[in-house]
Amino acid sequence: MAIVLQKGQRIDLTKGNPGLEKIMVGLGWDPVQKKAGGLRGMFSGGGGSSFDIDASVIMLQNDKFAGKENLIYFGNLKSSCGSIVHTGDNLTGDGDGDDEQILIELKKIPASVNKLVFVVNIYDCKARKQDFGMVKNAFIRVVNSTSKEELLKFSLSEDYSGSTSLLVAEIYRNGADWKFAAVGTGTQDAGLSEIVQKFA
């Protein structure tokens, strides 16, 4: 059974799972479907346009962002060290389960990297007039890639109205081990470049 985390909780990832080397981090969400008053049909988000939510990983060195090669997102799907691979961009958020997946080999992460920050942001949010108040069922989960066992899950159940980006979670070094922190903080950053500046 996966451990279900609440916002602010931290958990040992590798200590309780000896031999854990490869993990899959899955992120998912669904657009809120609202009935348009007096109009036929349903719409997703502002202006009737669909949602394009992007999941990214920021690799930090001493809690700082050292350069664009340490940003894994739809425009850079693999870290230069090969430890992190983004499986690709989901443009709609339709369907059940993970919308985007990130594969991580913990032992390949350079010793200089102490933390991985998982973020999601709405592509072109300002032009589309969209925010995370229009999204439901957002979650992040960690799966043991070898055994396919789901280790933990964190559902972002708050009302994130007005937030255009979310700092979802962190995986960070704790001595020789890795820990997971459920963050769940909304921001009004319009895109990845603004989010990354928080760690400059």
Side-chain angles (χ1 to χ4, degrees):
M1 285 289 291
I3 297 170
V4 177
L5 296 178
Q6 304 296 318
K7 180 175 178 175
Q9 281 189 296
R10 296 169 183 267
I11 186 172
D12 282 310
L13 197 57
T14 51
K15 204 174 217 176
N17 298 286
L20 181 68
E21 293 184 10
K22 296 181 180 181
I23 58 174
M24 187 280 292
V25 177
L27 297 104
W29 50 80
D30 294 310
V32 174
Q33 299 285 331
K34 293 182 180 178
K35 288 197 174 177
L39 299 174
R40 286 184 303 164
M42 312 280 269
F43 72 91
S44 302
S49 56
S50 62
F51 271 78
D52 180 5
I53 298 176
D54 298 317
S56 309
V57 185
I58 305 169
M59 304 172 75
L60 301 183
Q61 300 178 4
N62 294 320
D63 293 341
K64 299 289 185 186
F65 180 66
K68 62 183 180 181
E69 68 279 0
N70 290 340
L71 180 62
I72 314 305
Y73 69 112
F74 67 85
N76 178 35
L77 293 174
K78 187 174 182 178
S79 64
S80 56
C81 59
S83 64
I84 300 177
V85 178
H86 193 309
T87 62
D89 192 13
N90 178 321
L91 298 175
T92 64
D94 290 339
D96 295 330
D98 302 329
D99 287 302
E100 295 192 6
Q101 294 184 337
I102 296 157
L103 309 176
I104 300 172
E105 289 192 54
L106 295 171
K107 288 216 164 156
K108 276 192 179 180
I109 297 173
S112 58
V113 173
N114 74 309
K115 186 180 289 184
L116 309 176
V117 180
F118 296 84
V119 302
V120 291
N121 66 286
I122 302 172
Y123 181 76
D124 210 16
C125 59
K126 290 192 172 170
R128 295 182 181 207
K129 296 183 170 61
Q130 294 174 339
D131 63 54
F132 278 99
M134 302 171 182
V135 175
K136 64 179 180 177
N137 302 330
F139 68 84
I140 184 171
R141 69 190 190 109
V142 176
V143 174
N144 181 330
S145 294
T146 304
S147 68
K148 307 303 180 193
E149 176 192 2
E150 185 176 273
L151 302 175
L152 61 90
K153 187 169 186 178
F154 168 43
S155 295
L156 288 83
S157 54
E158 281 187 20
D159 179 2
Y160 289 102
S161 295
S163 295
T164 49
S165 299
L166 299 178
L167 302 177
V168 180
E170 297 174 352
I171 292 177
Y172 62 98
R173 291 187 192 272
N174 182 40
D177 292 305
W178 290 93
K179 297 184 81 167
F180 179 96
V183 180
T185 300
T187 80
Q188 293 182 335
D189 296 308
L192 261 184
S193 58
E194 288 184 31
I195 299 170
V196 164
Q197 287 172 15
K198 293 182 180 299
F199 304 100

